[in-house]
Amino acid sequence: MNVLLDHFALFREGFVGTVELTFVSALIALVLGVVIAGFRVSPVPPLRIFGTVWVTVLRNTPLVLLFLIAFFIVPQVFFPGMSSYLLAVLALGFYTSSFVCEAVRSGINTVPVGQAEAARSIGLTFLQTLRLVVLPQATRTVLAPLSSIFIALTKNSAIAGAFSNKELFTVQKDLSDLGYNIVTIFFWIALAYLIITFAISRLFTWLEARMGVVR
């Protein structure tokens, strides 16, 4: 308990850092995931190809490799001077978007085809059909897998600590360097992760209850 009380400010900084990384990356992943899912079910072949390539490449690339590309290639070739925080959330967001995309696409596929056909018969465009008819119905199916995806994102955010970002696992390194017992440090860090993942789980449980999702 002493290590937590003596270095509470450090634990708080790491906790807030992990929450911020998770939240911002989740927003990026959610927006990109929905857009790419729309590409994958689009009637336009180039968009379908782009969506397929996006998902295939990102899902099959190790996250650590994406971080290395983000930190050592992107600033040198494309956008010099980008902050380590922005690079980290982009790497996490892009990677997670591929999983969000597949979850959303699976949800879209559960909506009866007749719904889209009825929407088109009254003159709605593909985008209007997707936004007004298909996605609202698919949301119920998507909530459960999204919960697991964002919990995994929370754990993946630990990689950002190796790239000059303050989060929970950098706290472990700092305290280990001060000579504190590694088991005690990991206990408090694990508890902090448990709090964050439990909050995500409860949020999605509440959303499912609000939307009347039956498992």
Side-chain angles (χ1 to χ4, degrees), residues 18-30:
T18 294
V19 171
E20 288 181 347
L21 284 167
T22 301
F23 180 74
V24 177
S25 302
L27 284 180
I28 294 172
L30 188 59

Side-chain angles (χ1 to χ4, degrees), residues 75-154:
Q76 299 295 327
V77 179
F78 301 106
F79 305 105
M82 289 181 70
S83 69
S84 61
Y85 176 79
L86 181 57
L87 290 169
V89 296
L90 288 177
L92 286 167
F94 280 31
Y95 177 77
T96 308
S97 72
S98 62
F99 295 90
V100 172
C101 168
E102 289 302 275
V104 173
R105 188 171 70 92
S106 296
I108 290 173
N109 289 336
T110 64
V111 178
V113 177
Q115 297 285 328
E117 292 176 345
R120 286 195 295 270
S121 71
I122 61 173
L124 295 184
T125 65
F126 170 77
L127 284 178
Q128 290 173 326
T129 301
L130 196 63
R131 180 170 59 89
L132 300 175
V133 178
V134 177
L135 284 178
Q137 296 183 65
T139 300
R140 295 184 176 188
T141 310
V142 170
L143 286 176
L146 281 184
S147 175
S148 299
I149 290 169
F150 291 143
I151 287 173
L153 171 60
T154 304

